[in-house]
Coordinates of all heavy atoms in Angstrom, one line a residue:
L59 N -6.2 -17.7 -22.0 CA -5.6 -17.3 -20.7 C -5.5 -15.8 -20.6 O -5.1 -15.3 -19.6 CB -4.3 -17.9 -20.5 CG -4.3 -19.5 -20.4 CD1 -2.9 -20.0 -20.4 CD2 -5.0 -19.8 -19.1
T62 N -7.0 -14.2 -17.5 CA -6.2 -14.5 -16.3 C -5.0 -13.5 -16.2 O -4.7 -13.0 -15.1 CB -5.7 -15.9 -16.3 OG1 -6.8 -16.8 -16.4 CG2 -4.9 -16.3 -15.0
L119 N -3.6 -26.2 -20.1 CA -4.2 -24.9 -19.8 C -4.3 -24.6 -18.3 O -3.9 -23.5 -17.9 CB -5.5 -24.7 -20.5 CG -5.5 -24.5 -22.0 CD1 -7.0 -24.5 -22.5 CD2 -4.8 -23.2 -22.4
L120 N -4.8 -25.6 -17.6 CA -4.9 -25.5 -16.2 C -3.6 -25.3 -15.5 O -3.5 -24.4 -14.6 CB -5.7 -26.7 -15.6 CG -5.9 -26.7 -14.1 CD1 -6.8 -25.4 -13.7 CD2 -6.6 -27.9 -13.6
A121 N -2.6 -26.0 -15.9 CA -1.3 -25.9 -15.4 C -0.7 -24.5 -15.6 O -0.1 -23.9 -14.7 CB -0.3 -26.9 -16.0
R122 N -1.0 -24.0 -16.8 CA -0.5 -22.6 -17.1 C -1.2 -21.6 -16.3 O -0.6 -20.6 -15.8 CB -0.7 -22.4 -18.6 CG -0.2 -21.0 -19.1 CD 1.2 -20.7 -18.8 NE 1.6 -19.4 -19.2 CZ 2.5 -18.7 -18.5 NH1 3.1 -19.1 -17.4 NH2 2.8 -17.4 -18.9
Q123 N -2.5 -21.7 -16.2 CA -3.3 -20.8 -15.4 C -2.8 -20.8 -13.9 O -2.7 -19.7 -13.3 CB -4.8 -21.1 -15.4 CG -5.7 -20.1 -14.8 CD -7.1 -20.5 -14.8 OE1 -7.5 -21.5 -14.3 NE2 -8.0 -19.6 -15.4
L124 N -2.6 -22.0 -13.4 CA -2.1 -22.1 -12.0 C -0.7 -21.4 -11.9 O -0.4 -20.8 -10.8 CB -2.1 -23.5 -11.6 CG -3.4 -24.2 -11.4 CD1 -3.2 -25.7 -11.1 CD2 -4.2 -23.6 -10.3
A125 N 0.1 -21.6 -12.9 CA 1.4 -21.0 -12.9 C 1.3 -19.4 -12.9 O 2.1 -18.7 -12.1 CB 2.2 -21.4 -14.1
I126 N 0.4 -18.9 -13.6 CA 0.2 -17.4 -13.6 C -0.3 -17.0 -12.3 O 0.1 -15.9 -11.8 CB -0.9 -17.1 -14.7 CG1 -0.3 -17.4 -16.1 CG2 -1.3 -15.6 -14.6 CD1 -1.4 -17.2 -17.2
S127 N -1.2 -17.7 -11.7 CA -1.7 -17.4 -10.4 C -0.6 -17.4 -9.3 O -0.6 -16.6 -8.4 CB -2.9 -18.3 -10.0 OG -4.0 -18.2 -10.9
E128 N 0.2 -18.4 -9.4 CA 1.3 -18.6 -8.5 C 2.3 -17.4 -8.6 O 2.7 -16.8 -7.6 CB 2.1 -19.9 -8.7 CG 3.3 -20.1 -7.9 CD 3.0 -20.2 -6.4 OE1 1.9 -20.5 -6.0 OE2 4.0 -20.1 -5.6
T129 N 2.6 -17.0 -9.8 CA 3.5 -15.9 -10.0 C 2.8 -14.6 -9.5 O 3.5 -13.7 -8.9 CB 3.7 -15.7 -11.6 OG1 4.4 -16.9 -12.0 CG2 4.6 -14.5 -11.8
Q131 N 0.8 -14.3 -6.9 CA 1.0 -14.2 -5.5 C 2.4 -14.0 -5.0 O 2.6 -13.3 -4.0 CB 0.4 -15.5 -4.9 CG -1.1 -15.7 -5.1 CD -1.6 -17.0 -4.7 OE1 -2.1 -17.2 -3.6 NE2 -1.6 -18.0 -5.6

Side-chain angles (χ1 to χ4, degrees):
L59 294 173
T62 303
L119 286 175
L120 181 59
R122 179 58 184 145
Q123 186 182 60
L124 292 174
I126 293 171
S127 298
E128 176 66 16
T129 299
Q131 293 173 93

